Amino acid sequence: MAIDERIQEAVTAGKLSETAAYNLSRWMTEARFVEYRDTLESWITENRWSDLNEAFYQLIPFGTGGRRGPVGLGTNRMNRMTIAESVQGVANKLRKTVIGRRPKVVVAYDTRTTSAEFTLESACVLAGNDIEVYLFDGPRSTPELSFMINDLSCDAGVVISASHNPPEDNGFKAYWTDGGQVVPPMDAELIEEVKNVSEIRKISFEQAYGEGLIHRLGAADDARYIDALLKQSLSDKRDVRIVFSPLHGTGLTSVLPLMKQAGFTDVHLVESQKDPDGRFPNVPNHKPNPEVTTGLDASIALAKAIDADIVMVTDPDADRLGCAVKGRTPGEYTLLTGNQCAALMMEFIGSKMQAAGTLRPELRVYSTCVSSPLMPTIARTYGCDVKDDLLVGFKWVAEQIKLQGDPNDFLFGSEESIGFMKGSQTRDKDGAMGALMFSELAAEAKADGLTVLDVLDNIYKKYGYFCDTGIAVFLEGASGAERMGRIMEALRQTPPSEIAGHAVVQVVDRADNTIKNAQGKVIDKVSGPTSNLLIFRLREDAKSWIAIRPSGTEPKIKFYFSLYAEVGADLATLKDSQTGELKRLASAVRELALAID
C-alpha cells in the first residue's frame, strides 16, 4: 500500500487526525523535508500512529514564552526545520516592516545540547535573507539578549532556550524592536508567516561571516550589560554570605559577574552545578527548575555547610531567580515563593527610595493577575502608579513599558513564577537583576540585626498576611490539550458558587474580559488583551482568589491561590491556620477540575 494511502487509512480508522495527516503529508512530499523522509516512512510502516499523531497534530504554537517543546520529528516538535521555519517567518516579517535598510537581529542561546545547532541554523537563515546577525560567542542569558536589542539598535532578537524545561526540550522565542517578546497581534502575524513559509533561504556560516552579515558579541558587550544593571543598585551594604548555582546554565555569565562587580565578595558557587551542560547532570531528575525545592537541594546543602545567609539559583537561561533564606532554627533554610521575593524587593525599593527622596508618583509598577496582591499593595502604599491585572507572562510587563511612554518611569515588575525586573534596561525578567536586589536587601537586613524572614514578617504586620501557592496537573499530548479545553469550558459555563466553604463572589473571565457577580451578571470589564484564564474571587476587594489556566509553554493546567487575612497579635498561629486552609482549598479545586472528563 502506498504511503499516502496508509496515511488516509489511519485517518479513517481514527488513528490519525486530519491535521496530523495534512502536516505529515507535507513532510513526506515537500523537498525541504527530504532528510526526515526515511525515518517517517519507517514509522508509518511500523504503524506508529500514536507517535505520528503527537508529532504532527499541530504546528507547535507561540505560547506565553514563544515556542517550546520536546526535540524530535514533526511539526509539533522542536527540530532544525521548525526552528528554520520560525526564523524564516521572523525574516519575512522583518523584510516587510523594515524598509530601505538591512534589518539587524541579535541571536542568543542557552546551554542545552541542541541550542548551538539550532542557533547556527537561525543565524544562517537570517543571513540568507540579507539580515545582519549579532551572535554571542557562547551561551548567554535571555535578559542579556533583550538588553542588546536596544543597546545595538536592532530590529528583533531570537533566543534558543527552553527555560526550566527538562533536557529533552528546547525552544524558540522572538523579541521585537523594543527588546520585549512579541505580543498580540504580532505573535499571530508571525505564526501566519511561519505557516506560509514555502522556502527556507539560508547561506553557510562561512559565507555569512565573510560577507559581514554575522557579527560576534563578546566580553565588551557583556560589560555594557553588567554596567546597566549596576546602575540600579540601591545600597552599599555587602556583608552577606551567599550561595549561588546557575544549574548548569547561563547564570554563570550574568549573575556571577554582576555580584563580583557589585562588590559582593562572600559568594560561594555550587561547583557541581557550575559547568554549562544541557543534560543538567547534577540536578535532581535533570529538571533545572529553581521554583521547586529539589532545584535548590545542592545549594541548600552548601549553605548549611558554610552557614550562608541566602541561597540564589537561576534557571538555564537565567531569567528567573529562586531564593531560599536562613531559617529560625540553626541549619534550616526556607524556600521563598516568587510572591514573597517580589514583596521583599518592593518594600526594599520603596523604603530606600523614600529615604533618598527619589520616589515620584509617575513611577510605574506592574504585576500579573495570578500574582499575589501583596507586592502591588506595597507599591501603592509608596505612591507608585500600579497595574496588577496583566496577563500571565513577563512579555506583558515589557509591553506596558512600551505603552507608558517614558521608559525611565518604569520602576519594578514581577510575576509569581519567580520573575523580577527593576529598571527598563532589559524588557524581560532578569535573574541577575533580581539577584542584585535580593542580595542588597539581605545585606541591609543583616546590618539591622534582622534575618530576611524577620523582614518578611514585618511586611505582613504592616500590610496583612497574604498566603499563596500554585499547583499544576500535567495532561500530555493531544488528548491532554483537549481535556484542558473541556475543563476550562465547563468551569466557564457553570462556575462554582462556593469552593471548600468559600463563596465565589465574582468571576473574572479573561477570555472576554468580563467580571460577573455571583448571580452571573456582568458588573465590570477588564481592559487589555484576552486569554484562556478564569479567576474566582473569594472577596470583593480581590485580595483572595483562585485562578485557573492551561500553561502556554508546557502540557499542564495550572491553579493559583491567594488568601488574605488581617494580622493580629499571633502571626505564627495565623500562618499555620491559613496554610492549612490553603492546602484544603487547593485540594478541593484540583478535585473539582479533574472530575471534569
Side-chain angles (χ1 to χ4, degrees), residues 62-68 142-143 145-146 149 156-159 163 172-187 190 317 319 392-400 402 415 426-429 553:
F62 278 89
T64 53
R67 309 178 87 177
R68 193 187 303 177
T142 293
L145 169 102
S146 175
I149 294 172
V158 166
V159 62
S163 187
F172 162 94
K173 285 198 284 191
Y175 289 71
W176 221 240
T177 184
D178 67 326
Q181 292 182 52
V182 293
V183 296
M186 179 64 75
D187 57 352
L190 276 181
D317 67 331
D319 60 349
V392 180
F394 226 85
K395 61 187 180 183
W396 301 110
V397 173
E399 186 197 35
Q400 289 298 316
K402 179 173 63 177
E415 63 180 354
T426 63
R427 303 300 166 85
D428 207 347
K429 56 187 177 290
T553 55

Side-chain angles (χ1 to χ4, degrees), residues 77-215:
R77 298 287 183 263
M78 300 306 300
N79 48 63
R80 277 198 316 105
M81 190 53 62
T82 50
I83 288 289
E85 287 180 333
S86 300
V87 177
Q88 185 65 56
V90 170
N92 290 347
K93 187 66 177 177
L94 285 171
R95 300 306 304 183
K96 292 176 182 178
T97 55
V98 179
I99 308 301
R101 61 176 176 83
R102 181 182 281 162
K104 300 192 298 182
V105 177
V106 187
V107 180
Y109 62 102
D110 71 7
T111 61
R112 289 173 182 273
T113 56
T114 53
S115 288
E117 173 194 353
F118 290 170
T119 298
L120 179 63
E121 186 77 8
S122 302
C124 292
V125 171
L126 290 167
N129 286 270
D130 195 34
I131 292 172
E132 282 189 70
V133 180
Y134 290 82
L135 183 64
F136 287 100
D137 60 8
R140 292 297 194 283
S141 73
T142 293
E144 184 169 355
L145 169 102
S146 175
F147 171 81
M148 285 299 166
I149 294 172
N150 282 317
D151 182 72
L152 298 171
S153 300
C154 288
D155 302 288
V158 166
V159 62
I160 304 299
S161 170
S163 187
H164 59 282
N165 281 37
E168 57 267 24
D169 288 4
N170 213 332
F172 162 94
K173 285 198 284 191
Y175 289 71
W176 221 240
T177 184
D178 67 326
Q181 292 182 52
V182 293
V183 296
M186 179 64 75
D187 57 352
E189 293 170 5
L190 276 181
I191 200 67
E192 281 303 308
E193 293 285 359
V194 172
K195 287 179 180 178
N196 295 328
V197 166
S198 59
E199 175 190 9
I200 304 294
R201 294 184 293 276
K202 70 175 184 176
I203 59 177
S204 70
F205 184 88
E206 292 73 20
Q207 180 183 348
Y209 195 76
E211 294 178 5
L213 286 168
I214 291 181
H215 310 277

Side-chain angles (χ1 to χ4, degrees), residues 282-348:
N282 297 315
V283 180
N285 303 313
H286 309 296
K287 293 183 178 180
N289 188 351
E291 199 173 5
V292 299
T293 305
T294 54
L296 283 83
D297 281 354
S299 299
I300 290 176
L302 176 58
K304 290 179 179 179
I306 65 171
D307 193 31
D309 298 300
I310 62 172
V311 171
M312 300 189 298
V313 175
T314 48
D315 61 347
D317 67 331
D319 60 349
R320 304 197 316 153
L321 179 77
C323 299
V325 297
K326 186 183 292 186
R328 304 190 190 283
T329 303
E332 175 191 61
Y333 284 81
T334 300
L335 177 64
L336 300 180
T337 68
N339 288 321
Q340 289 171 326
C341 290
L344 285 160
M345 291 181 195
M346 188 65 244
E347 178 68 13
F348 170 69

Side-chain angles (χ1 to χ4, degrees), residues 38 53 73 99 123 139 153 177 255 263 268 270 309 362 372 394 429 494 500 505 550 585:
D38 288 346
N53 197 59
L73 290 178
I99 308 301
S153 300
T177 184
V255 175
H268 302 260
V270 179
D309 298 300
E362 301 83 22
S372 169
F394 226 85
K429 56 187 177 290
T494 312
V505 298
L585 185 62

